[in-house]
Amino acid sequence: MAQMGRPRTFDRQAAVEQAMFLFWQQGYESTSLSQLKASLGGGISAPSFYAAFGSKEALFREAAQCYLDTFARVTECLWDDGLAPRAAIELALRQSARMQSEPGHPPGCMVALGCMSAPTAEHAAVAAPLTASRARTRAGFVHCVERGRDSGELPAGTDAVALAAVFDSFLSGVAIQARDGVGYAVFDSAIAQILCVWDARRVPG
């Protein structure tokens, strides 16, 4: 009778979360297999690692999905038509900025910084889920501006893509500044300023 393999001595979901934090902090290419194994604890061997996760790329995809299912949800309010469009944008900006600068995890946004996680053509497909998430957030801003325009709050000739890019670019900049140590108090004030772009275009009455 064949001998049963040694059972795993680690919590798989916890391992994915640890890998998520490591990839979030360092990016895909800068994170080594030895660092991933060390983050799991217990001195997991390379064969055991591959048996559990398949490959570094597969683990990154799991880690990215873990991020998308949790931390990245802060911008889903952009698709909530129960909120006024300006309010939805403000909530998305404030929730994201707060999340990116809070303690307990790496600063910044794994989705925004994902464009630097796999910069070569060889690894571009690895970051595809993060690229798709950025596209969804961008489309969410466009959706809010279109709602504001269609309701008459913004002028009929408002370029929804261009105005949405103002808010989306601001949010991308938050990721870089949070990584550099800028705190939420600065972002809080900056968000009030960036929303003036919407207010300046608002149709009177």
Side-chain angles (χ1 to χ4, degrees), residues 91-108:
L91 183 60
L93 295 178
R94 293 196 186 283
Q95 287 187 154
S96 184
R98 186 176 294 109
M99 181 277 290
Q100 294 188 56
S101 53
E102 67 188 3
H105 58 69

Side-chain angles (χ1 to χ4, degrees), residues 67-135:
Y67 183 91
L68 296 176
D69 291 341
T70 54
F71 294 98
R73 299 289 299 173
V74 290
T75 56
E76 279 301 298
C77 56
L78 294 171
W79 297 98
D80 183 356
D81 291 352
L83 295 172
R86 183 191 181 282
I89 289 176
E90 180 174 8
L91 183 60
L93 295 178
R94 293 196 186 283
Q95 287 187 154
S96 184
R98 186 176 294 109
M99 181 277 290
Q100 294 188 56
S101 53
E102 67 188 3
H105 58 69
C109 171
M110 187 176 177
V111 168
L113 299 173
C115 57
M116 295 179 281
S117 293
T120 65
E122 178 185 2
H123 295 133
V126 178
L130 303 185
T131 302
S133 181
R134 289 196 299 275

Side-chain angles (χ1 to χ4, degrees), residues 38-56:
S39 73
L40 303 184
I44 183 173
S45 66
S48 295
F49 174 88
Y50 288 117
F53 302 108
S55 65
K56 174 184 170 182

Side-chain angles (χ1 to χ4, degrees), residues 9-173:
T9 58
F10 63 92
D11 182 321
R12 195 178 190 286
Q13 182 56 37
V16 171
E17 292 174 1
Q18 287 301 311
M20 175 189 70
F21 291 134
L22 198 56
F23 285 127
W24 185 351
Q25 179 65 44
Q26 300 184 173
Y28 177 76
E29 290 190 320
S30 297
T31 301
S32 68
L33 178 59
S34 61
Q35 289 174 320
L36 288 169
K37 292 192 314 181
S39 73
L40 303 184
I44 183 173
S45 66
S48 295
F49 174 88
Y50 288 117
F53 302 108
S55 65
K56 174 184 170 182
E57 177 179 342
L59 178 54
F60 180 83
R61 289 184 181 279
E62 282 197 59
Q65 191 59 53
C66 181
Y67 183 91
L68 296 176
D69 291 341
T70 54
F71 294 98
R73 299 289 299 173
V74 290
T75 56
E76 279 301 298
C77 56
L78 294 171
W79 297 98
D80 183 356
D81 291 352
L83 295 172
R86 183 191 181 282
I89 289 176
E90 180 174 8
L91 183 60
L93 295 178
R94 293 196 186 283
Q95 287 187 154
S96 184
R98 186 176 294 109
M99 181 277 290
Q100 294 188 56
S101 53
E102 67 188 3
H105 58 69
C109 171
M110 187 176 177
V111 168
L113 299 173
C115 57
M116 295 179 281
S117 293
T120 65
E122 178 185 2
H123 295 133
V126 178
L130 303 185
T131 302
S133 181
R134 289 196 299 275
R136 177 171 173 77
T137 298
R138 191 175 305 120
F141 282 121
V142 173
H143 177 66
C144 287
V145 176
E146 288 177 340
R147 287 205 296 129
R149 182 186 62 193
D150 295 346
S151 69
E153 182 178 353
L154 297 176
T158 298
D159 185 334
V161 173
L163 184 53
V166 172
F167 301 114
D168 188 46
S169 299
F170 173 87
L171 198 55
S172 296

